[in-house]
Amino acid sequence: MSHWQELEHKYYMNTFKRTPLTLVKGQGARVWDEDGREYLDFVAGWAVNNLGHCPPVVIEAVTGQVQTLIQTSNQFYTIPQIRLAELLVQNSCLDKVFFCNSGAEANEGAVKLARRYGQCYLSRAYEVITAMSSFHGRTLAMVAATGQTKFQKPYIPLPTGFVNVEYNSIEAIKAATTKQTCAVMLEPVQGESGVNLPDDNYLAAVQAWCDQKGILLILDEIQTGLGRTGTLFAYEQYGIEPDIMTLAKGLAGGIPIGAILAKDRASVFTPGEHGSTFGGNPLACAAGYATLQFILDNDIAGNARRVGQYLTTGLEGLREKFQFITDVRGCGLLVALEFSSDIAQSMVTVCLDRGLLVNQVKPNALRFMPALTIGNEEVDEALGILDSALASINQRLE
Ligand SMILES: Cc1ncc(COP(=O)(O)O)c(C=O)c1O
């Protein structure tokens, strides 16, 4: 264990099961450790660094903004906030925006907005239906929304008002809908629990049901948004339009930010009902504007789709070679590789040793979520390392 890692154990709360690697520098799809060793990064800050590490457009925007105006309060108007809100509205099916600082905070706000809508239009209905194996964040309410007991158990009793139902079952949502229901909240593709794709027509059926019942559809696009799945927002691929959508992670090129977007009819907050000190600050919004404009101007979503397809095809090739690979699934550059046994942690370690950073999303599955700016060359390099790592694990299994 290095000096810095020892200090971390001494001073930092014991919340993360970290890979034994201290990163000091990043550029594009690559990072460097404290000894100067280079790695190809297929974790990308947990799907945050969509434009790679230290993207020049974000450096330029932040450098300019940090010398002009970093933070005001929301008592005043600021231009970067308004520009980013306009750009988001112009490029989505939503009409209004609220900025905050993280994904969990965006989802909290979305649930507050849905409850407010319930108070105004649905006889005070307040319950939100969410899916099992979802992930919506770490605040108490979002732990309750997250349909995974391992995150909920340590904090019981949890806030009420959430019903977790089976994912990919429209019948489960129908059965859980009562007079108390104000919204259904889903990730279009479940990221944290293993890149679980929605069945054909599931999301369209959920939207039709929400419309029929007059309740809101909230899509958590915190991981899937901003080009990650091959379109700017994942909902575009499923022929649906959410009433509320949340964003965070990749929105500002690595600078912390979160956003709630809503259709006009669902945008029911009035002054004083919601707020944030740092939310929508000029610095984060300038970074967000530069990031989103770059994504749009350079068809980064299209690149994610094409390179994601190339990655998936390459992984399918590995699946043919190694019997213990049981599944390759994904969308754009959000891809999982599943094994017949719990070897994901060993794969992380062997890949690390060979210069590739990957994420263990389940004991038996890896998740790949590199920068959306990578090309086929980086994929070839990653596939080469994965191939040799799989061969070495295969030897151990035999
Ligand atoms: C789909 C989804 N929602 C919410 C969150 C929480 O975001 P944050 O960690 O910024 O609070 C995450 C984080 O991984 C996520 O993937």
Side-chain angles (χ1 to χ4, degrees):
M1 192 181 297
S2 81
H3 169 65
W4 291 112
Q5 290 164 19
E6 270 171 22
L7 289 183
E8 193 269 1
H9 282 240
K10 187 164 175 202
Y11 293 118
Y12 205 85
M13 285 197 197
N14 188 20
T15 48
F16 298 107
K17 201 166 156 242
R18 299 190 203 257
T19 299
L21 176 70
T22 307
L23 297 175
V24 296
K25 193 176 114 175
Q27 186 65 59
R30 316 228 166 225
V31 286
W32 285 262
D33 71 10
E34 55 189 324
D35 300 318
R37 188 166 176 222
E38 181 180 315
Y39 300 83
L40 181 59
D41 182 6
F42 267 43
V43 180
W46 290 333
V48 165
N49 307 111
N50 286 8
L51 303 187
H53 292 275
C54 302
V57 282
V58 175
I59 293 176
E60 196 187 328
V62 168
T63 310
Q65 193 60 48
V66 86
Q67 296 174 88
T68 316
L69 188 65
I70 298 175
Q71 159 74 3
T72 67
S73 77
N74 277 304
Q75 186 179 331
F76 307 103
Y77 296 89
T78 51
I79 295 166
Q81 183 183 102
I82 301 162
R83 291 179 78 208
L84 178 56
E86 181 186 34
L87 197 60
L88 281 166
V89 167
Q90 284 170 342
N91 290 283
S92 71
C93 65
L94 291 312
D95 305 304
K96 291 284 194 303
V97 182
F98 176 88
F99 291 116
C100 52
N101 309 285
S102 70
E105 197 187 339
N107 284 339
E108 284 269 346
V111 168
K112 282 175 75 178
L113 188 59
R115 283 195 178 195
R116 195 73 192 93
Y117 185 88
Q119 280 189 344
C120 295
Y121 300 115
L122 300 170
S123 312
R124 303 193 160 268
Y126 63 92
E127 235 166 45
V128 176
I129 298 172
T130 66
M132 282 171 190
S133 65
S134 59
F135 186 84
H136 296 295
R138 300 289 193 156
T139 59
L140 270 180
M142 286 312 107
V143 164
T146 292
Q148 297 194 58
T149 45
K150 70 175 178 191
F151 295 122
Q152 298 179 334
K153 248 189 180 162
Y155 304 108
I156 286 167
L158 294 171
T160 54
F162 296 95
V163 187
N164 309 143
V165 305
E166 195 186 332
Y167 179 59
N168 263 333
S169 166
I170 181 64
E171 293 314 319
I173 287 178
K174 287 183 177 175
T177 306
T178 68
K179 284 196 163 36
Q180 299 299 350
T181 310
C182 67
V184 175
M185 179 159 91
L186 298 170
E187 296 157 86
V189 175
Q190 294 187 330
E192 294 300 309
S193 57
V195 191
N196 304 321
L197 298 168
D199 288 346
D200 288 350
N201 295 328
Y202 171 63
L203 293 173
V206 175
Q207 171 156 49
W209 178 250
C210 289
D211 289 349
Q212 188 185 325
K213 290 287 161 187
I215 59 179
L216 301 176
L217 174 60
I218 306 173
L219 283 189
D220 174 346
E221 291 241 20
I222 286 162
Q223 187 156 152
T224 53
L226 284 312
R228 171 66 50 194
T229 63
T231 45
L232 187 59
F233 304 110
Y235 73 76
E236 296 166 40
Q237 295 171 48
Y238 300 101
I240 59 165
E241 290 196 356
D243 300 298
I244 300 175
M245 174 170 77
T246 52
L247 301 174
K249 287 191 184 283
L251 178 55
I255 304 291
I257 193 169
I260 310 165
L261 285 78
K263 295 254 194 201
D264 268 330
R265 74 178 182 94
S267 183
V268 293
F269 285 143
T270 57
E273 287 178 355
H274 194 52
S276 168
T277 295
F278 286 118
N281 67 79
L283 187 65
C285 288
Y289 186 86
T291 302
L292 181 53
Q293 194 64 68
F294 188 89
I295 289 174
L296 294 167
D297 289 347
N298 296 279
D299 187 24
I300 296 300
N303 191 63
R305 191 166 57 245
R306 288 184 293 275
V307 178
Q309 188 54 56
Y310 186 75
L311 171 63
T312 304
T313 305
L315 292 172
E316 286 291 356
L318 293 178
R319 183 187 184 177
E320 274 166 31
K321 191 164 164 191
F322 298 100
Q323 301 293 308
F324 57 93
I325 297 178
T326 51
D327 197 19
V328 176
R329 58 177 177 269
C331 199
L333 279 169
L334 183 58
V335 181
L337 187 66
E338 196 158 291
F339 309 110
S340 54
S341 60
D342 293 350
I343 57 162
Q345 190 50 51
S346 309
M347 277 297 290
V348 170
T349 306
V350 179
C351 287
L352 173 71
D353 212 40
R354 290 157 203 235
L356 174 68
L357 306 186
V358 291
N359 171 252
Q360 181 213 294
V361 70
K362 296 204 305 192
N364 68 335
L366 294 177
R367 176 176 45 160
F368 309 114
M369 45 191 161
L372 309 184
T373 46
I374 61 166
N376 292 354
E377 316 75 57
E378 281 94 350
V379 170
D380 284 337
E381 189 180 334
L383 289 170
I385 295 174
L386 285 168
D387 191 352
S388 79
L390 289 162
S392 115
I393 300 268
N394 195 21
Q395 266 183 354
R396 285 190 222 164
L397 291 175
E398 278 169 2

